[in-house]
Amino acid sequence: MAESPRLDLPVSRSSFAETARRLKARAPQWEQIRVTNDDGDVVLSFPPLATSASRKVVDQESHDRVVNSGVGVVGNVVIGSGGKAAFPVRVPIQRNNRTKAVLSAVIRPEMIANILRDSGLPKGWSAWVTDSQDRLVAATAASNLEARPASEFGVGVEGDRYQLFDGSSLQTASASLEGTPWRVRVGLPSAIYVRPAQQAILLLIVAGAVIALLCALATVLLYRELRARTAERERVANWQRMDALGKLTGQAAHDFNNLLMVFQSGVEGIERRRHDEERVTRLLGHMKEGLTRGKNITRRLLSFAKRSNQGAEHIELPVKFEEMAPLLRQALNDSILIDVDLPADLWPIHADPVGLEIALINLLTNSREAMANGGKVTITARNVSEGSFEDKRIQGPAVAITVTDTGSGISSADLERIFEPFFSTKENRSPGLGLTQVHGFALGSGGVIKGASLPGHGSAFTLLLPKSKAPSLTGGDAADANFPECLLIVDDTPASLESARLGWAGCRHNYGAQRSGSARTVAEPG
């Protein structure tokens, strides 16, 4: 329109009015169309201004920019003489590269508001436009705050979060309108903005709870699986134990049956020839040997069963080892040397002598099997002033008996299991009860056994046994000891009790007896 010949100066009022009327019919949002001179005075206007209206432009700043730059601009929103908000769009009317006048279209902000509303914003969202002076141009929310400072419409609270005049909170984003000093800002309700984060947090909480539940379920299943495997191992171990016990009891039954044959033959022989003193003496000797064998078999069974320290007594180790020397030598073979080194001041111990014999024989037997090509076994002993220094399970003074060999040794993995029942590294897959019996004897005596080995160089087993509380009997002290002159015999089997009484039939006696339930006690002077 600014380039139309109809605006060549001087402009005809009727021609301008007709052109402006046609243009306004095509753009009804245009409130007024005006032509102003360089000073900002309204020269032409459609619709015409009232007689009392001011002829001066309200937004002088944008008018001066067009005059000085010769470039069209979008002005700021202002309150007109009629008290209504509007903004101008101004272009220069140039002739011969000179600005002769300024053509302006005054537009109501409702036009911008309608554009914002028709832009397809989701429900609950808001949008507003501000000019270069940060005044509100238009907004989707009804505010009646056009041309007023934008801070009256909404205030930034934190970052891009805004608090609107109606109290609603929005999370916003803004951008400049290209070619204008205006900015448009679009916001969505803060509740909608934070909802994904809240949902994510809730999802994390639910996922964490599910993971914790799955972990707990996995823990329960693992615990049940471990219990099931432990129970299975116990069943297998029990089966193996019962199998070994069956073999042991079978062997024990066979040994006892042989003993019964000795006694049966002896009794029958004595009954037939009671007056044959030589024959009776031989038979009685065989029966006494059978008794000793029976007692040893019983003690071995009790030792295997890990019973308490039955039969424990005061043991002088130098004397005991001297007595056991042939037995220990017999447990080895001719290709193995044995060296027993005991200090003179070795303390006595309180233990089962037969159990000690069995334990040492088992250790020597293992050493013999580890030295197929010969070697050397050394037995040493030492006093330990405080057993807890060696092992926390031992309290007080103790005696350490160590059996060392030069055999093939034991691997570190097998060393941890050598005291387990039925565990064996031997090629013949023997029951693996020897070290178990030694372990049972040590525990039953209130001590422990410890093993150490270096594969290819040998092994060493140390028995830690508590020191005897009785004083040591050395030299002639044992012969000079005062023994009681009265014997108390107690047994719960009448036949055994009567047999024990009859054993003293050859001595001067005067006994008394009393019976309590099935028990019978007899006191007989020595």
Side-chain angles (χ1 to χ4, degrees), residues 328-329 331-341 363-380 402-409 456-461:
L328 299 179
R329 177 69 259 180
L332 303 173
N333 54 39
D334 296 337
S335 63
I336 298 175
L337 299 177
I338 182 170
D339 181 18
V340 180
D341 183 13
L363 292 177
L364 293 178
T365 301
N366 283 350
S367 298
R368 182 193 66 201
E369 293 177 350
M371 296 184 292
N373 298 323
K376 182 179 181 180
V377 174
T378 304
I379 301 177
T380 59
T402 302
V403 177
T404 308
D405 63 52
T406 58
S408 57
H457 294 80
S459 304
F461 289 91

Side-chain angles (χ1 to χ4, degrees), residues 37-111:
N37 60 19
D38 293 347
D39 296 330
D41 298 326
V42 178
V43 179
L44 298 172
S45 177
F46 183 85
L49 294 176
T51 305
S52 60
S54 172
R55 299 288 174 172
K56 203 71 174 175
V57 296
V58 179
D59 184 13
Q60 185 67 41
E61 185 270 337
S62 63
H63 183 276
D64 293 341
R65 277 194 289 135
V66 174
V67 173
N68 295 330
S69 66
V71 179
V73 298
V74 177
N76 298 312
V77 62
V78 293
I79 302 296
S81 57
K84 294 184 178 181
F87 65 89
V89 177
R90 306 184 192 277
V91 293
I93 299 176
Q94 293 181 333
R95 297 295 184 266
N96 298 324
N97 295 326
R98 290 184 59 189
T99 300
K100 300 295 184 178
V102 176
L103 178 64
S104 302
V106 180
I107 304 173
R108 295 291 181 191
E110 288 82 355
M111 173 186 173

Side-chain angles (χ1 to χ4, degrees), residues 195-328:
R195 188 175 301 163
Q198 293 175 342
Q199 292 175 344
I201 293 174
L202 181 61
L203 181 61
L204 287 175
I205 294 174
V206 173
V210 172
I211 291 174
L213 181 62
L214 292 176
C215 290
L217 181 61
T219 302
V220 172
L221 293 177
L222 178 61
Y223 175 72
R224 292 182 60 184
E225 178 66 18
L226 291 177
R227 286 191 60 185
R229 291 189 179 184
T230 302
E232 180 65 23
R233 285 196 298 267
E234 289 180 355
R235 284 194 293 268
V236 173
N238 287 336
W239 177 84
Q240 293 175 337
R241 192 174 292 112
M242 293 301 295
D243 180 64
L245 285 175
K247 295 177 180 178
L248 286 175
T249 53
Q251 182 64 38
H254 175 73
D255 292 340
F256 276 111
N257 188 54
N258 291 338
L259 295 178
L260 291 176
M261 290 292 294
V262 172
F263 281 100
Q264 182 181 0
S265 300
V267 170
E268 291 177 352
I270 292 174
E271 288 179 346
R272 285 196 301 267
R273 300 183 181 181
R274 295 184 181 182
H275 302 292
D276 190 345
E277 185 176 350
E278 182 182 356
R279 184 179 182 86
V280 170
T281 301
R282 287 202 309 270
L283 291 174
L284 289 176
H286 294 324
M287 294 170 72
K288 287 176 65 176
E289 292 177 1
L291 286 173
T292 302
R293 290 174 57 194
K295 288 170 64 177
N296 290 338
I297 293 172
T298 303
R299 288 188 178 182
R300 288 189 181 94
L301 291 176
L302 291 177
S303 174
F304 171 76
K306 297 182 182 179
R307 297 282 297 273
S308 61
N309 197 18
Q310 295 184 1
E313 59 186 51
H314 181 91
I315 301 177
E316 296 286 346
L317 288 175
V319 178
K320 184 63 179 176
F321 271 91
E322 186 176 352
E323 294 176 355
M324 290 191 301
L327 190 63
L328 299 179

